[in-house]
């Protein structure tokens, strides 16, 4: 049976992360996980039991988490610093900037329950700023995997990277988007489907709704491209430009503020390359965020099959 | 090296760091002068590290959390042969790696610092890795006293005690001043010894300008097995230059020509006394 993207439901990226990390750590005792009372939310309880000597717990202290991770890495450890994305990138932002990026310590910063994964817990727990904040910091790769395959590959790639990397993902079960034979490479977007009318350039957990929107637009006779832009920095510039030249409109989608994230990164590429195209950034506006579950918040801001289909049609109507 | 030889080195280090601050037109004069004896003892007596062994995973580590006192570090590293002293002619110049806070672009520097409250967490990580690997290296970090208002330090203090990092020593440059004035006026730090002890550290206070006393303390760590060691080095900000001592306004002031000459003359006098 051939693979159809978006058909089969997989698991949460979080589970794939913890499983992949455990297998890496079993093979290499230099692999160390550092947690800030986050082994439960990071699904690392099994890791902690299986490899207690490879887990460092620092308590609820994200600044220390990141500083300690830098020190461990300097002494040759392959360090995964695991904490909710919001706390990791906000509370410890200066440690990330100085101790990791500026000092070039190859720590793997793992932002769990990213974006609005915590849903109704509210804005303290959301990370809708992290991509913007870290895009402006020199020397960090930013990866937002969209499905289980991308997550496993991204974790394995991160383990091999000799420079800092930030990976963020959520905890909801996601559909499989890629044939297991696909080739994952940081900095190279993964196509989910091809098309010539509208291109959806999406990242992380918004790729699936973008794919569903593309399916819906099929029924209107529109051919839509869907790209998983798993690496937000460095951006796959070629994929962005060819999407804008091959298609009549481009819609970017992200679980993040519309300020400073994937959308603005793509806009900057197209503007500077002189590629004019009807273009829309879908994400969270600059406002007190709607409350509810992750999917309710997605729906509220049009990160859904009907919402994205409507946005695409509007762009085309405007003269795509 | 004898105590006297180290004492003479300290005076020469002071002369040099003033020279490079003057030349660069920038630098943290007061704090450089308060910590230079500590650096002298660490690099010339305690640390098992050299330019040739700097990439050795088993080397001792020195992490300068109070990164602003970088001129003292540069002068000591140059003296230890990590780079030619002539490099210091470029401090704070366009394109130079010798910026106003330590970076790894400079041979001998372990970690980029400058923002305060970062060095201890990093040092905890290095010490922890040593414990995990059964390594015998020791980790020393130098903290400013004003810096201790950063809460991150106390997170790291907890972790160091929790993991029983007796391979870690934190030296506190207790000059009792910070940029605004006295630490006790800005935001009270005392009783510091009790605070550190309550966080699970083994603590000793020492005269931070007394070469034999510093050598004895820094060389006798851990003070207690299973505990990280803290050395409160009682120092004088601006130490060695009469008109800079205990004056917070010298935190990052650069001497004018007349002050510079006076300072060098005072140090020459100390040198003559020490060598007579
Ligand atoms: Mg001070």
């Amino acid at each position: 049976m051939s693979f159809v993207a978006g058909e089969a439901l997989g698991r949460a990226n979080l589970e794939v992360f913890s499983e992949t990390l455990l297998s890496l750590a079993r093979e290499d005792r230099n692999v160390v996980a550092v947690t800030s009372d986050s082994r439960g939310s990071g699904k690392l309880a099994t890791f902690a039991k299986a490899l207690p000597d490879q887990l460092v717990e620092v308590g609820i202290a994200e600044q220390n988490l990141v500083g300690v991770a830098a020190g461990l890495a300097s002494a040759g450890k392959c360090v995964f610093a695991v904490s909710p994305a919001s706390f990791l990138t906000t509370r410890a932002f200066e440690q990330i900037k100085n101790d990791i990026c500026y000092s070039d310590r190859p720590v793997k910063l793992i932002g769990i329950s990213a974006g609005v994964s915590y849903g109704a817990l509210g804005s303290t727990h959301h990370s809708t700023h992290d991509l913007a904040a870290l895009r402006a910091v020199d020397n960090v790769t930013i990866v937002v995997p969209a499905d289980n395959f991308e997550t496993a590959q991204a974790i394995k790639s991160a383990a091999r990277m000799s420079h800092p990397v930030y990976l963020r993902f959520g905890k909801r079960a996601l559909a499989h988007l890629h044939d297991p034979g696909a080739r994952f490479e940081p900095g190279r977007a993964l196509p989910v489907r091809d098309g010539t009318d509208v291109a959806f350039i999406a990242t992380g957990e918004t790729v699936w709704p973008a794919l569903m929107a593309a399916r819906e637009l099929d029924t209107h006779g529109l051919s839509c491209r869907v790209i998983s832009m798993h690496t937000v920095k460095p951006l796959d510039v070629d994929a962005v430009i060819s999407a804008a030249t091959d298609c009549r409109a481009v819609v970017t989608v992200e679980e993040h503020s519309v300020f400073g994230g994937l959308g603005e990164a793509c806009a900057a590429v197209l503007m500077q390359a002189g590629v004019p195209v009807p273009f829309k950034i879908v994400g969270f506006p600059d406002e007190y965020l709607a409350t509810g579950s992750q999917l309710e918040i997605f729906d509220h801001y049009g990160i859904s099959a009907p919402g994205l289909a409507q946005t695409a049609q509007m762009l085309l109507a405007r003269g795509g | 090296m004898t105590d006297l030889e180290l004492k003479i080195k300290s005076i020469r280090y002071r002369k040099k760091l003033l020279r490079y601050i003057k030349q660069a037109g920038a630098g943290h004069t007061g704090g450089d002068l308060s910590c230079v004896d500590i650096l002298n003892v660490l690099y010339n007596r305690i640390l098992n590290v050299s330019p040739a062994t700097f990439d050795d995973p088993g080397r001792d580590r020195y992490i300068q959390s109070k990164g602003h006192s970088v001129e003292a570090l540069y002068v000591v590293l140059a003296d230890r042969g990590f780079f030619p002293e002539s490099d210091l002619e470029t401090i704070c110049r366009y394109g130079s790696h010798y910026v106003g806070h330590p970076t790894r672009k400079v041979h001998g520097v372990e970690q980029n610092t400058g923002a305060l409250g970062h060095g201890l967490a990093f040092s905890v990580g290095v010490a922890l890795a040593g414990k995990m690997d059964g390594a015998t290296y020791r980790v020393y970090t130098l903290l400013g006293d004003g810096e201790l208002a950063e809460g991150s330090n106390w997170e790291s203090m907890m972790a160091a005690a929790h993991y029983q990092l007796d391979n870690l020593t934190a030296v506190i440059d207790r000059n009792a001043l910070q940029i605004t004035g006295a630490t006790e006026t800005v935001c009270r730090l005392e009783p510091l010894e009790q605070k550190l002890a309550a966080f699970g550290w083994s603590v000793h206070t020492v005269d931070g300008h007394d070469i034999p006393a510093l050598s004895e303390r820094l060389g006798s760590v851990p003070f207690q097995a299973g505990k990280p060691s803290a050395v409160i080095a009682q120092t004088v900000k601006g130490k060695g230059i009469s008109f800079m001592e205990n004056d917070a306004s010298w935190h990052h002031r650069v001497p004018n020509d007349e002050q510079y000459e006076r300072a060098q003359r005072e140090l020459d006098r100390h040198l003559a006394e020490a060598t007579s």
Side-chain angles (χ1 to χ4, degrees), chain A residues 29-30 32 53-58 60-72 74-77 91 94-96 98-100 102-105, chain B residues 59 61 99 101-104 110-113 115-118 120-126 128-130 132-133 137 150-152 155-157 159 162-163:
Chain A
R29 54 187 294 276
N30 265 324
V32 172
D53 296 338
Q54 286 168 254
L55 186 123
V56 174
E57 175 63 71
V58 298
I60 307 167
E62 292 81 11
Q63 298 180 78
N64 196 40
L65 170 94
V66 176
V68 166
L72 286 164
S74 82
K77 299 293 174 191
R91 189 58 156 267
E94 193 179 68
Q95 279 75 13
I96 292 176
N98 295 345
D99 305 349
I100 306 291
Y102 179 44
S103 299
D104 195 21
R105 298 303 181 186
Chain B
R59 72 189 180 282
R61 310 306 206 269
V99 296
H101 292 94
T103 84
R104 297 177 60 213
E110 290 283 355
Q111 173 73 351
N112 301 11
T113 52
L116 296 172
H118 289 251
L120 187 57
F122 180 84
S123 303
V124 167
V126 182
L128 199 51
M132 287 169 144
D133 293 342
Y137 62 76
E150 291 283 6
S152 53
E155 295 182 3
S156 305
M157 297 277 184
H162 179 79
Y163 285 102

Side-chain angles (χ1 to χ4, degrees), chain B residues 21-270:
Chain B
I21 286 170
K22 176 69 176 154
Q23 190 173 314
H28 286 80
T29 313
D32 280 327
L33 291 166
S34 76
C35 72
V36 74
D37 298 316
I38 299 163
L39 288 175
N40 183 1
V41 169
L42 281 173
Y43 273 95
N44 291 303
R45 250 185 198 161
I46 306 292
L47 295 172
N48 180 21
V49 65
S50 69
T53 61
F54 189 65
D55 292 327
D56 180 348
R59 72 189 180 282
D60 285 343
R61 310 306 206 269
Y62 168 72
I63 291 104
Q64 187 162 312
S65 192
K66 52 169 300 193
H68 52 282
S69 294
V70 74
E71 295 82 13
L73 179 62
Y74 286 158
V75 161
V76 173
L77 288 177
D79 183 50
R80 294 292 297 162
F82 281 91
F83 46 81
E85 196 188 309
S86 57
D87 282 12
L88 299 182
E89 309 279 345
T90 71
I91 292 180
C92 292
R93 292 279 158 78
Y94 174 71
S96 172
H97 288 315
Y98 296 81
V99 296
H101 292 94
T103 84
R104 297 177 60 213
K105 300 277 183 198
V106 172
H107 193 217
V109 172
E110 290 283 355
Q111 173 73 351
N112 301 11
T113 52
L116 296 172
H118 289 251
L120 187 57
F122 180 84
S123 303
V124 167
V126 182
L128 199 51
K131 288 285 182 191
M132 287 169 144
D133 293 342
T136 55
Y137 62 76
R138 293 165 302 171
V139 183
Y140 289 83
T141 183
L142 179 68
L143 304 162
D145 50 3
E147 175 177 14
L148 291 181
E150 291 283 6
S152 53
N153 286 309
W154 302 93
E155 295 182 3
S156 305
M157 297 277 184
M158 285 175 65
H162 179 79
Y163 285 102
Q164 307 184 323
L165 300 180
D166 54 11
N167 52 349
L168 172 65
T169 301
V171 184
I172 293 144
D173 184 5
R174 184 76 176 107
N175 57 31
L177 289 176
Q178 57 193 101
I179 195 164
T180 302
T183 57
E184 300 316 282
T185 313
V186 175
C187 193
R188 189 167 58 243
L189 190 54
E190 293 296 335
L192 181 56
E193 206 173 301
Q194 288 91 321
K195 280 179 182 163
L196 295 169
F199 272 73
W201 287 56
S202 184
V203 194
H204 278 287
T205 297
V206 66
D207 178 341
H209 301 300
D210 181 330
I211 301 280
L214 272 173
S215 305
E216 203 254 304
R217 273 299 164 222
L218 295 174
S220 62
V221 293
F223 302 137
Q224 218 176 314
K227 280 189 173 192
S229 307
V231 176
I232 300 174
Q234 290 184 313
T235 55
V236 172
K237 201 157 178 166
K239 174 72 178 179
I241 315 296
S242 60
F243 59 93
M244 294 181 183
E245 289 190 356
N246 290 315
D247 180 353
S249 78
W250 282 100
H251 178 82
H252 59 177
R253 201 157 123 205
V254 178
N256 63 27
D257 292 349
E258 185 268 326
Q259 290 163 333
Y260 178 75
E261 291 308 326
R262 252 175 79 197
Q264 290 292 2
R265 276 201 303 276
E266 281 191 23
L267 291 170
D268 286 337
R269 210 158 51 234
H270 295 320

Side-chain angles (χ1 to χ4, degrees), chain A residues 120-167:
Chain A
L121 294 191
S123 187
T124 51
H125 285 55
H126 295 162
S127 59
T128 58
H129 65 285
D130 51 342
L131 305 181
L134 290 175
R135 277 185 66 224
V137 173
D138 164 47
N139 193 29
V140 59
T141 297
I142 303 172
V143 181
V144 189
D147 74 346
N148 296 169
F149 166 79
E150 288 187 14
T151 302
Q153 295 296 313
I155 296 298
K156 288 179 200 163
S157 303
R160 291 190 297 265
M161 281 186 195
S162 48
H163 300 287
V165 56
Y166 172 61
L167 262 137

